């Protein structure tokens, strides 16, 4: 019974909007493992220790979305650079695009080698639909959308999907209602039925640096750079 205005935005735009006071909560995916630190560094300018909080929701699997039966035998990120593979990408400010770019950098792959890298869609569902239509051989996104379109999925990364909000907003009726839903057994049971999704401490609230242990170091490094220190 509470009014809610939902806007679909890339993760970077969401973080900027929260920082600027244009929204109450922002969706914020962070990969688990080696790519956590570089992702947090990407967003560090818009993160404020002490005044921003993390609301845990789920973990989810990201990976390659390919045609049923995987006829092109696309099993690794480096396969996207093959001449016979057509790719459909996500928009530049999305968390999924950032995660893909970090993996390409690790593999030493120039995005210009990937046929279709510059062609973008704005949702995981749109990417899956593009592959299902036969207009691309592969995309990168969440498992749920691949299964929805009866496609194959090759997992590559697990990430935490959280909401970020300002400390003062936590006591508002809307956020309190949101937390009660996230903590409910009904909500968690429904989410855990989705392929690739698992509720992880759903509805718990933590400090930014407690949620992401690499964040304090990342922000300190950024401040030193801004101050011209080495």
């Amino acid at each position: 019974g509470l009014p809610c205005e939902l806007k679909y935005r890339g993760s970077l735009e969401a973080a900027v909007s929260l920082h600027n006071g244009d929204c109450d909560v922002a969706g914020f995916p962070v990969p688990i493992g080696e790519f956590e630190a570089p992702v947090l560094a990407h967003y560090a300018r818009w993160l404020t220790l002490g005044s921003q909080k993390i609301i845990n929701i789920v973990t989810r699997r990201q990976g390659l979305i390919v045609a049923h039966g995987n006829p092109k035998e696309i099993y690794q990120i480096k396969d996207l650079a093959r001449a016979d593979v057509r790719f459909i990408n996500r928009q530049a400010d999305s968390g999924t695009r950032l995660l893909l770019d970090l993996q390409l950098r690790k593999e030493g792959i120039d995005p210009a080698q990937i046929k279709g890298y510059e062609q973008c869609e704005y949702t995981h569902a749109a990417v899956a639909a593009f592959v299902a239509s036969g207009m691309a051989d592969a995309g990168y996104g969440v498992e749920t959308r691949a299964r929805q379109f009866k496609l194959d999925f090759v997992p590559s990364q697990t990430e935490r999907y959280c909401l970020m909000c300002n400390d003062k907003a936590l006591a508002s009726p809307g956020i309190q209602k949101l937390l009660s839903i996230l903590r409910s057994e009904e909500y968690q049971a429904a989410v855990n039925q989705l392929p690739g999704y698992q509720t992880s401490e759903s509805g718990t609230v933590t400090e930014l640096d407690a949620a992401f242990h690499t964040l304090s170091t990342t922000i300190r490094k950024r401040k030193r750079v801004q101050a011209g220190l080495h």
Side-chain angles (χ1 to χ4, degrees), residues 181-196:
I181 292 171
L182 292 176
R183 293 165 180 167
S184 69
E185 292 182 3
E186 294 85 356
Y187 170 81
Q188 295 183 27
V191 170
N192 289 333
Q193 292 178 11
L194 299 173

Side-chain angles (χ1 to χ4, degrees), residues 56-58 161 163 178-194 197-200 202-203:
N56 293 295
I57 304 181
V58 295
Y161 194 87
L163 292 176
L178 172 67
L179 292 174
S180 70
I181 292 171
L182 292 176
R183 293 165 180 167
S184 69
E185 292 182 3
E186 294 85 356
Y187 170 81
Q188 295 183 27
V191 170
N192 289 333
Q193 292 178 11
L194 299 173
Y197 278 80
Q198 286 291 317
T199 53
S200 177
S202 186

Side-chain angles (χ1 to χ4, degrees), residues 28-58:
F28 190 65
V30 178
I32 296 171
E34 63 179 311
F35 296 118
E36 176 183 302
V39 164
L40 291 172
H42 182 74
Y43 295 119
R45 178 181 176 185
W46 312 107
L47 305 180
T48 307
L49 296 179
S51 63
Q52 289 178 333
K53 299 293 187 289
I54 289 294
I55 301 172
N56 293 295
I57 304 181
V58 295

Side-chain angles (χ1 to χ4, degrees), residues 14-36:
V16 173
S17 295
L18 181 68
H19 180 271
N20 292 340
D22 296 330
C23 64
D24 297 309
V25 291
F28 190 65
V30 178
I32 296 171
E34 63 179 311
F35 296 118
E36 176 183 302

Side-chain angles (χ1 to χ4, degrees), residues 40-100:
L40 291 172
H42 182 74
Y43 295 119
R45 178 181 176 185
W46 312 107
L47 305 180
T48 307
L49 296 179
S51 63
Q52 289 178 333
K53 299 293 187 289
I54 289 294
I55 301 172
N56 293 295
I57 304 181
V58 295
T59 62
R60 66 182 189 182
R61 284 192 292 196
Q62 293 257 38
L64 296 166
I65 298 173
V66 298
H68 179 65
N70 198 0
K72 289 288 183 76
E73 299 184 339
I74 302 166
Y75 297 111
Q76 303 177 67
I77 292 295
K78 64 182 181 181
D79 290 332
L80 299 179
R82 285 172 17 204
D84 65 328
V85 173
R86 298 165 300 156
F87 183 66
I88 179 66
N89 210 348
R90 286 291 306 280
Q91 79 274 23
D93 66 345
S94 69
T96 297
R97 171 72 166 266
L98 174 59
L99 180 57
L100 172 68

